[in-house]
Amino acid sequence: MEGFAGIVDLRRGLGQRQVGSAVHASRAPPRRRTRTRGADLCKPKGKGYLGARENRRGRMLRFCATPPESGRLKVYDVDPMLNEFRDHLDYRYRRYREQLDAIVEAEGSLENFACGYDRMGFCVEDGKVVYREWAPAAQQVQLIGDFNDWKGWALEREAFGTWKLVLGEESECPVPHGSRVKVRLQTPHGNWVDRIPAWITYATVDANSFGAAYDGVFWNPPESERHVFRNQRPSPAPNALRIYECHVGMSGQEPKVSTYREFADEVLPRIKACNYNAIQLMAVQEHSYYASFGYHVTNAFAVSSRSGSPEDLKYLVDAAHGMGMVVIMDLVHSHASNNASDGLNGYDFGQKEEDSYFLSGDAGYHQQWDSRLFNYRNWEVLRYLLSNVKWWLQEYQFDGFRFDGVTSMLYHHHGINTAFTGSYSEYFGLSTNVDAVVYLMLANQLIHSCTKQGVSIAEDVSGMPTLCRPVSEGGVGFDYRLAMGVPDRWIEIIKHLPDEEWSMGDLVSTLCNRRYTEKTTAGTP
């Protein structure tokens, strides 16, 4: 999902001559979380591990920031043309270090900061089930659902805009598994509104009722109904990814929305037989508008309920790992649905920016996508998004992500009506959204510290240099850039050129249009 006026020719600088991998396109439960069998999450390793200390609860907290070994960032050696923009790149890296240092000082480590799902939403603390929500603009907050006949149970205000309710002992939780839940908020204007909890892990809608609203679902199945992972992540990960991009709901032959289990049992074997070694799942995060293909996310921590339950999605990922395939997820952190009744936008009452998930005014609205834009400098927004990254890695054992809409994140103009010509001045200046770049650096640092062979792909059409260089070098930290120009060029050729007019020179030129030392994946329609 990119708004742009042209594809940049990356060879105006340094040209990559290696042909990258191909993407072939088809069109908090409240419990103590332990490391799942097969996981290799957040192990101290290599250069990035700087030490540990004990927090007040006696828990060891690790420091995983890797500074450059000298005052000069290594990206200048990779691409000498970047020297002209050292002020911007040094500032960008300094902002990243300052944010990371603040997180380590307050939380002990980036990984610990990204465990927000262990404290927010429904969780267990000292043997008691607790519900907590960040809603600094709310005057009062209540928990409602079919478990209390939709009569509000009041939450108490804590520090920094959070609200808390202790529901009772874990063994006697008054909210049964599968209960419908919502949070009722009194806005600054005095009226009351019902919203879905921001950290909910499952949400459903009555498909038989026209215009029915989504409800959050308290997902806490008994141990006998929880999926237990039986297969480890592929190790070693393939050096050259052959990715099959897929939408589970559209994968079947019947005129219906297919399920995760149907896909695992019927489609995965066919993908494996075609010698793919990775799948990329679209539309995993819950989205109330099905025609958005999953890009207008309403509930970031919840699986799309149209195709099944959280345990069903785990079954799919486990089955793919059993076939030796890497599982990549489309992750949408570039924007969020504009819906208020069932989305994160419902927590915005026009309050000041530091008390909202989103930027205010025009800066917080994407004109082409009719969606809201995150405030990446806000502490709790960083906690929410980084915890979301770790949640999908840990709870569902995904191996990595394709970050959607990265071009929109990188620039304040979002790439709208912008023709990227390849001039480096287009990438490093006042139009660059440094807050978003810093967030992406933190997210990639987290992915690669939590999963030994994590995969991170950027959907970017601008061709920003350093996007796929390690964070320790001063880069943004992605492993691959998704070459959007390749499928666009294929479509143009197939539609408008007879076979005898195909130019091999043009084909080779399009395939080789990539940056030196930055890996690329490319899709074919």
Side-chain angles (χ1 to χ4, degrees):
M1 293 182 60
E2 300 287 5
F4 64 97
I7 298 292
V8 62
D9 188 340
L10 301 184
R11 289 162 297 173
R12 297 187 58 179
L14 298 176
Q16 177 116 341
R17 292 294 178 250
Q18 291 181 327
V19 177
S21 308
V23 179
H24 299 271
S26 67
R27 276 298 182 212
R31 55 189 172 93
R32 296 179 181 85
R33 293 183 172 84
T34 58
R35 184 173 296 160
T36 314
R37 183 174 182 264
D40 53 354
L41 293 158
C42 300
K43 296 178 183 177
K45 50 184 176 287
K47 274 187 173 181
Y49 183 57
L50 301 183
R53 68 173 173 83
E54 250 185 44
N55 69 355
R56 288 176 296 176
R57 295 184 180 180
R59 182 178 179 182
M60 294 304 293
L61 304 178
R62 297 184 289 104
F63 297 79
C64 297
T66 306
E69 295 179 356
S70 67
R72 176 182 168 85
L73 296 174
K74 291 184 179 180
V75 290
Y76 304 129
D77 299 324
V78 175
D79 187 351
M81 292 180 65
L82 294 172
N83 280 289
E84 183 181 347
F85 303 94
R86 286 189 64 174
D87 287 346
H88 178 95
L89 292 166
D90 287 350
Y91 167 73
R92 186 179 82 178
Y93 188 78
R94 184 169 65 251
R95 281 281 313 279
Y96 158 74
R97 287 307 309 271
E98 289 171 353
Q99 185 67 70
L100 181 60
D101 289 345
I103 289 172
V104 171
E105 175 65 25
E107 305 278 348
S109 72
L110 179 62
E111 292 91 339
N112 196 55
F113 180 66
C115 286
Y117 47 79
D118 282 336
R119 185 176 183 271
M120 303 298 293
F122 292 95
C123 57
V124 173
E125 293 180 358
D126 300 323
K128 298 182 183 296
V129 178
V130 174
Y131 171 67
R132 189 180 278 109
E133 196 72 67
W134 184 64
Q139 305 304 298
Q140 296 183 66
V141 179
Q142 299 175 354
L143 181 67
I144 61 174
D146 49 19
F147 52 89
N148 62 5
D149 294 325
W150 303 95
K151 298 175 182 177
W153 291 347
L155 279 70
E156 296 182 356
R157 184 186 287 272
E158 293 187 309
F160 308 113
T162 60
W163 297 78
K164 175 183 177 182
L165 172 64
V166 179
L167 292 168
E169 297 293 333
E170 183 179 8
S171 59
E172 301 176 358
C173 179
V175 184
H177 164 59
S179 298
R180 293 181 297 161
V181 296
K182 284 192 173 181
V183 56
R184 180 166 289 167
L185 309 170
Q186 186 182 36
T187 74
H189 312 292
N191 59 306
W192 290 84
V193 294
D194 295 348
R195 300 293 186 249
I196 292 180
W199 297 73
I200 201 71
T201 60
Y202 195 45
T204 60
V205 65
D206 184 358
N208 297 318
S209 298
F210 179 77
Y214 270 77
D215 292 307
V217 174
F218 179 73
W219 191 258
N220 186 31
E223 290 295 332
S224 60
E225 298 178 14
R226 299 181 190 271
H227 180 81
V228 178
F229 285 93
R230 294 173 174 81
N231 300 297
Q232 297 190 11
R233 304 172 188 267
S235 181
N239 292 324
L241 293 174
R242 297 185 298 277
I243 307 171
Y244 188 91
E245 184 180 17
C246 38
H247 186 294
V248 170
M250 299 166 56
S251 64
Q253 297 183 3
E254 300 296 326
K256 68 181 185 68
V257 177
S258 296
T259 69
Y260 299 121
R261 289 184 178 269
E262 288 172 344
F263 185 89
D265 295 339
E266 300 170 13
V267 182
L268 276 182
R270 300 175 65 182
I271 296 174
K272 179 64 177 177
C274 292
N275 292 319
Y276 291 96
N277 57 23
I279 59 171
Q280 178 184 314
L281 294 179
M282 302 170 60
V284 172
Q285 295 170 290
E286 186 59 87
H287 49 290
S288 62
Y289 182 44
Y290 190 58
S292 74
F293 284 85
Y295 294 119
H296 275 216
V297 171
T298 46
N299 312 109
F301 286 82
V303 307
S304 178
S305 58
R306 293 180 179 90
S307 293
S309 72
E311 310 310 311
D312 295 333
L313 178 59
K314 294 174 186 177
Y315 174 84
L316 189 164
V317 175
D318 200 12
H321 285 164
M323 298 178 187
M325 288 191 286
V326 170
V327 186
I328 301 167
M329 171 184 161
D330 266 13
L331 190 68
V332 185
H333 283 180
S334 51
H335 65 134
S337 171
N338 202 25
N339 293 13
S341 62
D342 52 20
L344 205 59
N345 191 36
Y347 290 82
D348 190 343
F349 309 119
Q351 66 266 32
K352 55 187 179 180
E353 202 168 77
E354 56 265 35
D355 290 341
S356 175
Y357 285 100
F358 306 106
L359 295 169
S360 58
D362 291 342
Y365 178 75
H366 198 292
Q367 296 179 358
Q368 286 194 342
W369 297 344
D370 186 29
S371 55
R372 298 303 309 273
L373 300 173
F374 288 105
N375 179 4
Y376 298 105
R377 199 166 189 169
N378 184 296
W379 185 269
E380 292 303 324
V381 174
L382 286 177
R383 187 196 305 276
Y384 184 83
L385 295 177
L386 290 170
S387 296
N388 192 238
V389 169
K390 190 176 177 184
W391 168 256
W392 294 106
L393 292 174
Q394 186 173 35
E395 186 71 10
Y396 291 90
Q397 295 290 290
F398 279 98
D399 300 295
F401 305 99
R402 191 214 67 159
F403 281 76
D404 172 71
V406 169
T407 303
S408 177
M409 300 174 69
L410 295 177
Y411 309 99
H412 293 297
H413 53 63
H414 311 300
I416 299 174
N417 299 323
T418 301
F420 293 99
T421 65
S423 171
Y424 279 32
S425 61
E426 297 169 345
Y427 305 120
F428 310 116
L430 295 178
S431 64
T432 307
N433 187 346
V434 176
D435 292 339
V437 174
V438 169
Y439 162 69
L440 290 172
M441 295 169 75
L442 291 168
N444 283 311
Q445 176 74 15
L446 178 66
I447 291 168
H448 295 112
S449 65
C450 282
T451 59
K452 184 170 59 175
Q453 296 171 319
V455 178
S456 180
I457 303 171
E459 184 200 27
D460 170 50
V461 301
S462 73
M464 174 183 277
T466 75
L467 190 68
C468 300
R469 296 303 302 174
V471 173
S472 60
E473 295 182 1
V476 185
F478 286 100
D479 297 304
Y480 300 89
R481 176 188 278 107
L482 179 61
M484 300 291 288
V486 174
D488 289 348
R489 185 60 181 143
W490 273 119
I491 293 172
E492 182 181 353
I493 290 172
I494 294 170
K495 278 187 174 182
H496 303 294
L497 287 179
D499 295 358
E500 61 271 15
E501 294 183 17
W502 287 21
S503 167
M504 290 305 298
D506 179 66
L507 292 174
V508 172
S509 176
T510 301
L511 290 170
C512 293
N513 183 12
R514 58 194 67 180
R515 291 200 176 279
Y516 177 65
T517 75
E518 297 192 25
K519 294 186 290 186
T520 302
T521 64
T524 55

